[in-house]
Amino acid sequence: YQQNPKTYAIVKQLLAEGNAGELQKYFGSRMEFGTAGLRAAMGAGISHMNDLTIIQTTQGFCRYLEKNFSDLKKRGVVIGFDARAHLSSGGSSKRFARLAANTFISQGVPVYLFSDIIPTPFVPYTVTHLKLCAGIMVTASHNPKQDNGYKVYWENGAQIISPHDKGISQAIEENQEPWPQAWDDKLIDSSPLLHDPYAMVNKEYFKDIQKQCFYRNINKETNLKFVHTSVHGVGHKFVQLAFKAFDLSPPFAVPEQKDPDPDFPTVKYPNPEEGKGVLTLSFALAEKDGARIILANDPDADRLAVAEKQESGEWKVFSGNELGALLGWWIFTCWKNNSRDTRAIKDVYMLSSTVSSKILRAIALKEGFHFEETLTGFKWMGNRAKQLMDQGKAVLFAFEEAIGYMCCPAVLDKDGVSAAVITAEMASFLATRNLSLSQQLKAVYDEYGFHITKASYFICHDPKVIQQLFDNLRNFDGKNTYPKSCGRFKVSGIRDLTTGYDSSQPDQKAILPTSKSSQMITFTFANGGVATMRTSGTEPKIKYYSELCAPPGNSDVEQLKKELDELVNALEKHFFQPEKNKLQRKTE
């Protein structure tokens, strides 16, 4: 009996052709449910996102929640979706969200299902605001158009961390047979258990982010113009509303990209991290309308890229680390000058992930607040922020280099909507002092020390080669010895989060959680350099992140850049050995 005629037809066709290879790809292995939930192409078979795999995943998740919350049927869950859709398999974020809602409602669990597309941060916001047990966002963020995803939040409003992923994964395995009426999502429309949080959240969220609005009068008066693009995703309406909440004139929206379009027709990849290619239309509109600043969200509006027109007429696209430095400086300054927060500075925290710039550490040391680093990814920063907040601490800001920013304690995840409007207020304020964002960035580096970063990756499709490369680093000069130098650069410290070794700790044991399943080694160098090498959880890449942190007063930026370039070249030559290991370089 066929429930989805489109995926059924795809499989039937493959069977008729006797195409064993393709069938193996579709049915050989189930999508893995990890801490980021699911992320895969839409299509037929258990290795793809489709009606059946969504039903199975939600049945497992539902049983896991029943086991963990005795009051699940009182509190319920929230479900949101973006605008992705896949014609050939009939899959779409909205359809998947409705099927997930149907699964919970069939078990007597109240569901807060958004009636329309929303930014990803609205889901964790709703979990916290309504004190729900969990949240699901159906989105593939900035992935290619054929992909979709299923992202899961726990009752604390942060993304899940281990062991929940293992527990959910096991529950999915145990609940694969679709429950009666699993496919009939029309049943939810008449159910008293279905609620729509759309209007409430659109009011409350914009009220909450106004706590981060400190210069309303400047916002009203400013003649600074902004261009905004939502890159065919969900962001347009919400960034317009955020500007209104801050009394800023609305940004000019890139007309070709402002409406949701699952085909992303104007960009090769819908990822603002790719830099200038995604911003071509934004640059053109900004030139036409005389705007100096461009704000770009990724398709689910949880990330933000910013570009500014320089005196020379060139556009500068800020890196995630540079915007992290600016927002960190701004949010701390606003807290210090305007906050009605009576907590002492010793109760103030900022966080960033271990592969992000250490600029916040430099600001914290000089200003007297706390800085903590976490493992890579907002799931770690969100969970740590919640722990600190529960201890009465103020977590002002968290960021990661992949253009993710958490500027507002109401959302314990990255949020590109609040980040966009806070950046606009910061730029408007700086304009009254005749400063541009890039001039202020230089001022931050002058005051707290220059932090120059460089990151890239190699592609390697052979897991054995990757394993060997990292084994070689752990047995560099004989067994169980790490490198003492890298070319002319002396190594002063090593932290290996695969094995749990940290040379800087008295007992040589790392403080951050370790994971044997992924490779990650950080080298500290005598010249103030830091370099981390790690494997990617989702792609066949070995990534590296390097940074040179200079003390305040060393302002020869060109010399620092040259030094970092040399360090990176040595890292590639001696630690990656691309020729020997047949690694493929990142191509621009």
Side-chain angles (χ1 to χ4, degrees):
Y1 176 61
Q2 56 186 73
Q3 292 288 358
N4 179 330
K6 288 187 172 176
T7 44
Y8 180 75
I10 295 169
V11 177
K12 212 171 142 185
Q13 176 75 24
L14 290 174
L15 282 167
E17 292 166 5
N19 190 335
E22 280 297 293
L23 285 165
Q24 180 61 32
K25 254 198 271 179
Y26 286 29
F27 292 95
S29 64
R30 173 170 289 281
M31 288 179 289
E32 233 172 276
F33 191 97
T35 49
L38 300 172
R39 187 75 67 89
M42 291 179 270
I46 58 170
S47 61
H48 292 125
M49 302 276 296
N50 55 54
D51 295 0
L52 175 63
T53 50
I54 290 292
I55 288 169
Q56 293 172 325
T57 300
T58 311
Q59 290 182 169
F61 188 32
C62 180
R63 288 286 178 259
Y64 184 74
L65 289 172
E66 286 169 346
K67 220 164 62 189
N68 279 273
F69 296 103
S70 54
D71 54 359
L72 177 66
K73 288 184 176 167
K74 205 170 86 207
R75 288 161 69 192
V77 299
V78 55
I79 302 175
F81 55 90
D82 69 10
R84 286 180 178 253
H86 189 242
L87 277 177
S88 61
S89 70
S92 73
S93 299
K94 182 173 188 172
R95 164 124 186 104
F96 295 161
R98 285 180 59 86
L99 286 168
N102 187 40
T103 302
F104 278 107
I105 284 173
S106 76
Q107 305 303 297
V109 177
V111 172
Y112 295 80
L113 172 68
F114 281 95
S115 52
D116 203 349
I117 55 171
I118 50 153
T120 293
F122 278 23
V123 167
Y125 176 83
T126 308
V127 171
T128 306
H129 196 77
L130 296 178
K131 301 185 175 56
L132 306 179
C133 295
I136 298 166
M137 178 69 192
V138 184
T139 178
S141 191
H142 53 271
N143 271 38
K145 64 182 179 186
Q146 66 273 13
D147 288 2
N148 216 325
Y150 184 106
K151 197 172 179 180
V152 173
Y153 296 85
W154 203 242
E155 66 162 341
N156 62 356
Q159 287 177 57
I160 57 164
I161 47 176
S162 220
H164 293 314
D165 54 333
K166 311 262 186 311
I168 296 166
S169 196
Q170 197 189 332
I172 295 168
E173 292 294 329
E174 292 162 5
N175 289 281
Q176 294 196 1
E177 174 73 30
W179 299 336
Q181 298 172 316
W183 303 87
D184 194 359
D185 63 308
K186 287 190 196 56
L187 293 171
I188 65 176
D189 297 317
S190 55
S191 168
L193 293 171
L194 183 74
H195 309 277
D196 177 10
Y198 192 83
M200 181 275 298
V201 171
N202 267 310
K203 199 171 85 212
E204 297 296 323
Y205 170 87
F206 294 104
K207 232 167 47 196
D208 273 343
I209 64 169
Q210 287 179 53
K211 294 176 188 142
Q212 315 304 314
C213 175
F214 295 103
Y215 293 98
R216 206 171 274 286
N217 291 337
I218 290 177
N219 296 348
K220 279 180 191 156
E221 303 292 310
T222 188
N223 43 24
L224 207 55
K225 293 176 179 168
F226 299 90
V227 157
H228 174 249
T229 178
S230 40
V231 194
H232 304 296
V234 304
H236 170 72
K237 174 183 171 177
F238 304 98
V239 169
Q240 297 277 328
L241 286 169
F243 268 62
K244 202 170 143 187
F246 272 53
D247 274 322
L248 283 154
S249 300
F252 299 108
V254 176
E256 303 89 331
Q257 296 178 334
K258 79 175 177 58
D259 296 323
D261 186 335
D263 279 327
F264 305 109
T266 65
V267 292
K268 194 169 159 199
Y269 299 108
N271 182 359
E273 256 189 295
E274 301 288 331
K276 297 199 167 171
V278 180
L279 298 176
T280 311
L281 292 169
S282 301
F283 294 139
L285 181 65
E287 298 289 353
K288 183 177 130 268
D289 287 335
R292 207 179 76 205
I293 291 174
I294 292 167
L295 304 164
N297 287 121
D298 66 344
D300 67 330
D302 64 350
R303 294 174 193 230
L304 174 74
V306 176
E308 179 184 57
K309 195 172 185 178
Q310 304 301 291
E311 296 286 300
S312 64
E314 286 286 295
W315 283 94
K316 173 181 168 62
V317 181
F318 292 93
S319 72
N321 285 324
E322 290 173 330
L323 194 55
L326 278 168
L327 284 168
W329 162 80
W330 173 250
I331 287 167
F332 176 72
T333 308
C334 290
W335 179 85
K336 197 170 66 176
N337 298 341
N338 304 295
S339 175
R340 285 173 283 292
D341 193 336
T342 52
R343 279 175 286 204
I345 194 153
K346 67 173 177 32
D347 289 329
V348 168
Y349 281 74
M350 287 195 186
L351 313 173
S352 71
S353 68
T354 143
V355 297
S356 304
S357 168
K358 298 291 162 282
I359 183 66
L360 297 184
R361 183 178 65 193
I363 300 176
L365 276 170
K366 195 164 172 184
E367 300 291 349
F369 62 90
H370 289 275
F371 165 74
E372 271 190 26
E373 71 171 1
T374 70
L375 291 179
T376 316
F378 259 89
K379 59 184 180 197
W380 296 105
M381 285 184 273
N383 277 284
R384 181 63 184 139
K386 181 71 171 109
Q387 282 178 337
L388 288 165
M389 285 155 67
D390 287 346
Q391 294 162 20
K393 312 293 185 198
V395 179
L396 297 187
F397 178 60
F399 90 96
E400 65 178 3
E401 51 71 44
I403 63 172
Y405 312 95
M406 179 181 117
C407 304
C408 172
V411 174
L412 296 180
D413 196 11
K414 52 187 182 286
D415 178 355
V417 178
S418 59
V421 72
I422 288 169
T423 300
E425 178 171 87
M426 166 171 65
S428 303
F429 173 86
L430 289 169
T432 65
R433 305 282 196 274
N434 288 322
L435 286 168
S436 66
L437 291 174
S438 20
Q439 287 168 326
Q440 180 56 38
L441 179 64
K442 188 178 175 311
V444 170
Y445 286 149
D446 282 336
E447 186 165 349
Y448 301 106
F450 272 85
H451 284 61
I452 299 179
T453 58
K454 195 171 181 180
S456 190
Y457 58 80
F458 288 95
I459 293 170
C460 179
H461 290 281
D462 185 349
K464 281 203 281 297
V465 171
I466 296 179
Q467 185 63 49
Q468 219 171 337
L469 185 150
F470 280 92
D471 284 347
N472 177 41
L473 290 170
R474 295 187 181 104
N475 303 282
F476 204 75
D477 302 312
K479 199 166 164 45
N480 293 332
T481 61
Y482 290 88
K484 293 181 181 59
S485 64
C486 179
R488 70 175 179 86
F489 299 97
K490 197 173 160 319
V491 172
S492 59
I494 291 180
R495 182 184 64 192
D496 186 334
L497 289 179
T498 307
T499 63
Y501 170 76
D502 186 341
S503 65
S504 70
Q505 295 301 323
D507 60 357
Q508 316 252 295
K509 284 194 172 65
I511 296 169
L512 288 173
T514 55
S515 163
K516 296 216 184 340
S517 61
S518 59
Q519 301 282 357
M520 179 156 164
I521 305 179
T522 300
F523 300 93
T524 308
F525 296 93
N527 69 344
V530 183
T532 294
M533 294 169 60
R534 75 178 190 105
T535 46
S536 161
T538 49
E539 302 160 303
K541 291 175 179 175
I542 314 171
K543 302 182 170 184
Y544 68 80
Y545 307 80
S546 65
E547 178 167 40
L548 202 52
C549 311
N554 179 349
S555 56
D556 187 348
V557 183
E558 288 318 307
Q559 180 49 42
L560 290 169
K561 279 187 179 151
K562 193 168 152 268
E563 176 98 348
L564 184 62
D565 285 342
E566 285 177 26
L567 177 61
V568 165
N569 290 341
L571 188 76
E572 291 192 351
K573 184 177 157 187
H574 299 287
F575 289 4
F576 280 93
Q577 302 177 314
E579 284 71 36
K580 185 191 131 187
N581 290 314
K582 299 192 177 49
L583 305 176
Q584 194 186 324
R585 282 179 186 278
K586 171 189 178 181
T587 49
E588 279 310 325

